[in-house]
Amino acid sequence: MVENYDDALSFIHGRTKFKKSDHLNRMRQFLELLGNPQKELSAIHVAGTNGKGSTVAYLRDLLMSQGYTVGTFTSPFLIRFNERISVDGEPISDSELIKLVNRVQPVVADLDAHYPEGGPTEFEIITAMMFLYFKSQVDVAVIEVGIGGLLDSTNVFTPVVSVITTIGFDHMKILGNTLPEIAAQKAGIIKQGVPVVAGRLPESAMQVVETTAAKNNSPLYRVGYEVTTKIKSETGWQEKFDYQFGDQQFKGLTISMLGDYQVDNASCALTAFIIYQTQRHQIVRSADITRSLAKTVWAGRFEPLNQEPLIVIDGAHNEPAIEELRALLKQRFSENEIYVLFSVLADKQHDKMLATLRTVPNLHIILTTFQGPGTRAVTDPKALAAQYDEDDRIEVIDNWQMAIGVILQRMSAEDLFLITGSLYFISDVRAFFEEP
């Protein structure tokens, strides 16, 4: 029995992080012993290299606008672990978390003792707790895949709709080294006869998704094909676009998250929402959609922490996300000097990420380091800077708090200060800015 919150977290975080496996039998056995709560859920499943979190947030707000109680399962968290399992945007309470740990603990001990491959991993335990909690709490759940899809421990239920937001290079050690290999993992969430919504995927990845959908007789709705959007040029902190899907047409929708890719994420969410409502024979009201999309925010995605000077955090933590960030900077901030404070986990494509950032002309890059999560190493900023000796726009300040002070002294009121490279890093930065 765990008595308090810290013990509950110690139990969860004390588990093995990852066990390579080519099946989900242990997860299924685990859920069976818990009474298969996943079978009683109405849920939408969201996979993708990037954009999952924002898409989940748009979907949550769209569904809540209809009076549904909505569970969301996301990772990682920005401030507290409890954010990962939320209902109507409110993280699970400490007391409920303790209850869930006490519910799963004896089952975990049983599997540890008797299951041939050993007991469940940390993520499998969190996933099982989420299924148990949502079963009794929500009308509908929006469940984000951890890594990949096919072998992810969330991939043990039949959703009402599956969503694949983007496919790019990340987690290659686990998912494969080519886009079709990675796409095959993401497309693993496609279930027999269940509709699939896909964002703008590279052609080789889209072919895999199309083939998998056809094999499963799953209707496929692709942004840029069956779903069309037209972005209007916009000033201020918003994007404006028209949207069409079948006979559903909405003009002048606005979202408060910047970037063309956020229009794609919102379009994926809106399409999944329309399919969900249609399957339930519910009407889709234009006013609800307009209001809902306009108010959605997702912490850590090009999120302004301060207005004058403009300080923004962005959780871009892989090469495809940095590509999107570069496009946004060139489109919206070409007239501004941009100071970037950059730190990244060592297992990411840090050299490619930095090379991409360097192509933005009006940029000053300060490389730094931070305390990584658990045992994960952070890229050495000096070693990274050494690759770009000739670029005088790149410098190293090891202490990130000190780096923030230095940058704030250098910049003027019109400049942009962007902090990026890792979700874990911006989580620390956010806490630093929120300290009284």
Side-chain angles (χ1 to χ4, degrees):
M1 279 282 285
V2 302
E3 303 287 331
N4 59 48
Y5 179 72
D6 289 339
D7 289 350
L9 281 194
S10 295
F11 167 72
I12 293 166
H13 294 325
R15 301 295 300 183
T16 313
K17 295 282 182 273
F18 185 74
K19 290 180 184 174
K20 196 146 176 76
S21 177
D22 58 359
H23 56 75
L24 289 167
N25 298 348
R26 181 180 52 238
M27 187 67 199
R28 290 201 173 93
Q29 178 68 29
F30 185 16
L31 288 167
E32 178 117 343
L33 294 169
L34 291 167
N36 281 323
Q38 79 285 6
K39 292 190 173 170
E40 296 173 49
L41 269 187
S42 172
I44 295 169
H45 207 184
V46 181
T49 303
N50 293 310
K52 294 189 293 288
S54 304
T55 302
V56 167
Y58 289 122
L59 257 170
R60 175 199 63 209
D61 289 350
L62 284 163
L63 291 161
M64 281 175 65
S65 77
Q66 303 308 298
Y68 296 118
T69 300
V70 185
T72 51
F73 184 58
T74 53
S75 57
F77 58 92
L78 265 190
I79 309 295
R80 280 191 100 221
F81 174 84
N82 306 42
E83 295 164 31
R84 298 182 69 166
I85 301 172
S86 293
V87 174
D88 288 351
E90 286 299 312
I92 186 172
S93 69
D94 293 357
S95 60
E96 288 287 354
L97 199 72
I98 293 163
K99 264 192 228 163
L100 286 169
V101 166
N102 284 322
R103 171 83 177 84
V104 301
Q105 224 176 11
V107 178
V108 171
D110 180 22
L111 289 166
D112 281 346
H114 302 115
Y115 196 73
E117 294 175 11
T121 63
E122 177 182 13
F123 189 68
E124 286 168 346
I125 288 169
I126 301 165
T127 304
M129 286 165 51
M130 171 271 294
F131 283 132
L132 278 171
Y133 187 59
F134 286 168
K135 180 187 115 171
S136 61
Q137 295 287 329
V138 307
D139 301 316
V140 53
V142 186
I143 296 172
E144 181 187 309
V145 165
I147 292 176
L150 182 66
L151 298 170
D152 187 74
S153 54
T154 61
N155 197 26
V156 287
F157 70 100
T158 302
V160 181
V161 191
S162 306
V163 182
I164 300 170
T165 55
T166 58
I167 292 176
F169 290 107
D170 198 13
H171 300 296
M172 278 104 80
K173 283 194 179 82
I174 302 166
L175 303 180
N177 289 313
T178 68
L179 283 180
E181 283 175 323
I182 294 169
Q185 292 295 319
K186 308 279 184 203
I189 69 164
I190 297 173
K191 303 289 190 305
Q192 191 66 34
V194 173
V196 189
V197 177
R200 285 180 208 277
L201 309 184
E203 197 176 331
S204 62
M206 187 64 96
Q207 282 171 354
V208 174
V209 171
E210 287 166 353
T211 305
T212 312
K215 238 185 256 172
N216 284 284
N217 295 314
S218 300
L220 175 62
Y221 305 104
R222 302 161 297 172
V223 173
Y225 297 90
E226 294 78 14
V227 177
T228 55
T229 57
K230 184 179 177 193
I231 297 178
K232 311 290 192 68
S233 65
E234 195 47 61
T235 53
W237 207 273
Q238 60 177 12
E239 299 289 350
K240 194 171 194 175
F241 66 104
D242 297 339
Y243 167 97
Q244 180 154 13
F245 169 47
D247 56 3
Q248 302 277 355
Q249 191 170 14
F250 306 104
K251 296 261 189 202
L253 295 172
T254 59
I255 52 173
S256 66
M257 289 193 257
L258 290 192
D260 292 358
Y261 55 95
Q262 288 296 1
V263 172
D264 289 347
N265 294 338
S267 301
C268 280
L270 180 50
T271 307
F273 168 72
I274 291 168
I275 293 167
Y276 187 86
Q277 286 294 84
T278 306
Q279 292 207 354
R280 279 173 168 49
H281 308 292
Q282 299 293 319
I283 55 169
V284 172
R285 284 183 290 266
S286 170
D288 293 345
I289 286 168
T290 304
R291 213 172 21 244
S292 169
L293 289 178
K295 75 180 181 64
T296 299
V297 291
W298 185 236
R301 301 314 187 280
F302 214 78
E303 178 192 8
L305 295 181
N306 192 65
Q307 285 301 334
E308 285 183 9
L310 182 55
I311 304 172
V312 173
I313 54 174
D314 191 278
H317 58 285
N318 52 36
E319 165 63 6
I322 290 285
E323 286 278 358
E324 289 170 343
L325 196 53
R326 173 181 66 176
L328 174 58
L329 293 174
K330 284 187 161 180
Q331 197 181 346
R332 288 297 190 98
F333 297 95
S334 58
E335 305 295 309
N336 311 65
E337 288 297 309
I338 303 169
Y339 291 84
V340 177
L341 183 60
F342 183 77
S343 188
V344 62
L345 292 174
D347 57 5
K348 298 293 180 179
Q349 294 176 294
H350 38 82
D351 39 359
K352 279 192 171 171
M353 291 165 75
L354 187 56
T356 299
L357 273 177
R358 285 177 69 233
T359 62
V360 180
N362 44 329
L363 214 61
H364 311 271
I365 302 170
I366 292 85
L367 303 178
T368 190
T369 186
F370 70 105
Q371 184 64 52
T375 55
R376 291 178 73 182
V378 175
T379 298
D380 174 4
K382 290 189 179 70
L384 188 53
Q387 298 175 38
Y388 300 101
D389 264 352
E390 78 298 343
D391 191 339
D392 57 7
R393 299 178 307 157
I394 294 176
E395 65 180 293
V396 174
I397 302 176
D398 274 330
N399 180 311
W400 63 262
Q401 291 96 330
M402 192 184 291
I404 287 173
V406 169
I407 292 166
L408 287 173
Q409 282 178 329
R410 285 184 196 169
M411 65 189 290
S412 74
E414 292 76 50
D415 299 343
L416 166 66
F417 179 7
L418 171 64
I419 302 161
T420 190
S422 162
L423 281 163
Y424 298 102
F425 177 40
I426 65 160
S427 170
D428 290 353
V429 169
R430 200 166 198 271
F432 172 76
F433 273 92
E434 286 178 354
E435 279 167 12

